[in-house]
Amino acid sequence: TNDTDRRLQRRLLATYHAARTYIEERGHNVLFLALGMLHWREEEDPKRDLKAPLLLVPVKLERAAVRERYKLSYTGDDIEENLSLAEKLRLDFAIELPEFVKQIEDFNPKAYLEAVAKKVKHKDNWEVDEDEIYLGFFSFTKLLMYRDLDCAGWPEDEQPTDQALLRAVLTDGFNEPGSDYN
């Protein structure tokens, strides 16, 4: 980090509290160590550098006492691919990221990052930086909900639109009688 020790400790304290609050309020961790970055430029805005993490390792930030230094450790939960980036690349650029292996025993981060680099090497101003690392908050809740509601992912005889409650929310509305109190 380029931060002074004092500034780093303040930032870590804020990150620690934000991560703990998120878990307490929402029930799941969103603090990840992002490994490897895809750098690119879009044709519409070629001067604007964009980047996104490729691998997300779920971590926790802890310290034994107030005067102790923070310790960053792997939570043991599944390592994740960047789902939002994968969806953007698929929809906007027709690039399918390599298959992501969720089993930690079978997963090779370096091989995955190299495979991503091969997938994007034909694009000008696109590159994978395998050594770039960030600690930050990442949440895919909206994307996962969007995928859950996509009819293409459901069996033909069990479409979400066949469910009365979802049909009411998405299209029909609720036909509840009006209130006596206006």
Side-chain angles (χ1 to χ4, degrees):
T1 180
N2 293 329
D3 288 333
T4 64
D5 188 52
R6 183 180 187 127
R7 180 167 157 71
L8 176 61
Q9 292 306 313
R10 279 195 307 251
R11 290 182 68 194
L12 288 172
L13 178 63
T15 302
Y16 168 78
H17 285 299
R20 193 174 78 186
T21 299
Y22 199 93
I23 290 172
E24 289 171 357
E25 291 179 357
R26 307 236 170 107
H28 65 279
N29 183 30
V30 293
L31 183 63
F32 290 87
L33 189 63
L35 304 176
M37 289 289 161
L38 174 64
H39 294 261
W40 82 94
R41 292 183 183 153
E42 292 183 334
E43 291 177 13
E44 300 82 39
D45 193 0
K47 292 183 181 184
R48 184 172 164 220
D49 291 322
L50 301 168
K51 67 179 175 177
L54 292 165
L55 294 174
L56 299 166
V57 179
V59 294
K60 59 185 173 185
L61 197 56
E62 302 172 300
R63 64 180 175 179
V66 174
R67 297 213 181 266
E68 295 290 321
R69 292 202 176 267
Y70 285 95
K71 177 183 172 189
L72 186 68
S73 59
Y74 171 52
T75 65
D77 294 335
D78 289 340
I79 295 173
E80 300 285 340
E81 65 182 316
N82 185 335
L83 295 174
S84 297
L85 176 64
E87 193 72 6
K88 177 173 183 55
L89 294 179
R90 187 179 68 76
L91 294 174
D92 295 355
F93 302 102
I95 295 174
E96 295 282 340
L97 287 181
E99 182 180 347
F100 186 78
V101 179
K102 282 202 173 250
Q103 301 299 333
I104 190 79
E105 303 84 26
D106 302 328
F107 185 64
N108 181 338
K110 184 165 181 52
Y112 179 79
L113 296 174
E114 288 172 354
V116 171
K118 284 180 186 174
K119 291 276 190 176
V120 301
K121 73 178 181 181
H122 68 282
K123 302 287 284 179
D124 290 335
N125 298 314
W126 287 49
E127 70 174 347
V128 172
D129 184 342
E130 296 178 12
D131 297 324
E132 202 165 340
I133 298 173
Y134 288 94
L135 177 65
F137 297 101
F138 299 90
S139 176
F140 302 108
T141 307
K142 290 180 184 176
L143 176 62
L144 294 174
M145 184 172 55
Y146 172 78
R147 281 187 177 173
D148 283 347
L149 293 173
D150 183 2
C151 292
W154 288 75
E156 223 20 73
D157 60 335
E158 295 180 24
Q159 292 292 303
T161 52
D162 295 340
Q163 304 297 318
L165 183 58
L166 278 178
R167 201 170 43 252
V169 169
L170 299 174
T171 58
D172 301 342
F174 294 94
N175 295 323
E176 296 292 324
S179 172
D180 292 337
Y181 303 98
N182 292 328

